[in-house]
Amino acid sequence: MTKLALGTHPFLLGFEQLERLVERTAKSGNEGYPPYNIEQTSENSYRITLAVAGFAEGDLSITVEDNALVIRGRQSDDSEGRIFLHRGIAARQFQRSFVLADGVDVGEAIMENGLLHVDLTRAVPQRVVQTIKIRKG
């Protein structure tokens, strides 16, 4: 029996990119830092919240690249001349990627109490019924 890939199934016309999207998501390399939440705030809106304590607004960048929301953080090293007896607060850079479906738009980003909130909205597609006329050949 031949196994069909998801993007090549005969009933899924036009979904060739779906398999590549799943592979790209699996390979995104997101580690566990920084921790994040994804919540549904209404039927068509979402909020991603990242714990970015120690990062200032200028240390963070938010971009949309190839249908992916990419959030990057880079702190400047301010440890010069300081002697730490214990350093448990991470001062490292990060990159978090979230693949966005078609029709999902990135709204505003809010920094609040060490948490970065990014709001997303999904456009509601209009239901379209199209009748195709059959002509004689």
Side-chain angles (χ1 to χ4, degrees):
M1 180 175 195
T2 304
K3 182 179 177 185
L4 289 174
L6 182 62
T8 60
H9 192 279
F11 297 132
L12 297 174
L13 301 175
F15 285 89
E16 294 82 15
Q17 295 181 344
L18 184 59
E19 193 165 5
R20 284 182 290 215
L21 177 66
V22 171
E23 287 177 14
R24 188 174 85 182
T25 303
K27 293 179 184 177
S28 66
N30 284 333
E31 300 172 2
Y33 179 78
Y36 65 94
N37 292 337
I38 301 175
E39 62 182 302
Q40 187 170 2
T41 54
S42 76
E43 187 176 337
N44 295 307
S45 62
Y46 308 91
R47 174 172 269 189
I48 298 174
T49 301
L50 280 81
V52 291
F55 286 86
E57 289 89 348
D59 297 333
L60 301 169
S61 71
I62 303 170
T63 57
V64 177
E65 305 168 13
D66 297 327
N67 282 357
L69 171 65
V70 181
I71 303 171
R72 294 180 179 92
R74 171 176 240 134
Q75 286 180 309
S76 56
D77 187 14
D78 63 350
S79 64
E80 189 174 322
R82 298 168 70 185
I83 299 172
F84 290 93
L85 300 179
H86 172 76
R87 187 161 187 178
I89 300 173
R92 58 182 172 171
Q93 63 184 17
F94 71 86
Q95 176 175 312
R96 275 268 180 216
S97 298
F98 302 91
V99 177
L100 302 175
D102 288 338
V104 173
D105 295 317
V106 179
E108 67 178 344
I110 303 165
M111 186 80 145
E112 174 183 49
N113 299 325
L115 298 174
L116 175 66
H117 304 287
V118 180
D119 292 325
L120 309 170
T121 56
R122 179 173 43 104
V124 179
Q126 293 181 345
R127 266 190 111 171
V128 176
V129 177
Q130 183 179 3
T131 303
I132 309 301
K133 188 175 180 178
I134 302 172
R135 65 179 187 90
K136 289 186 178 185

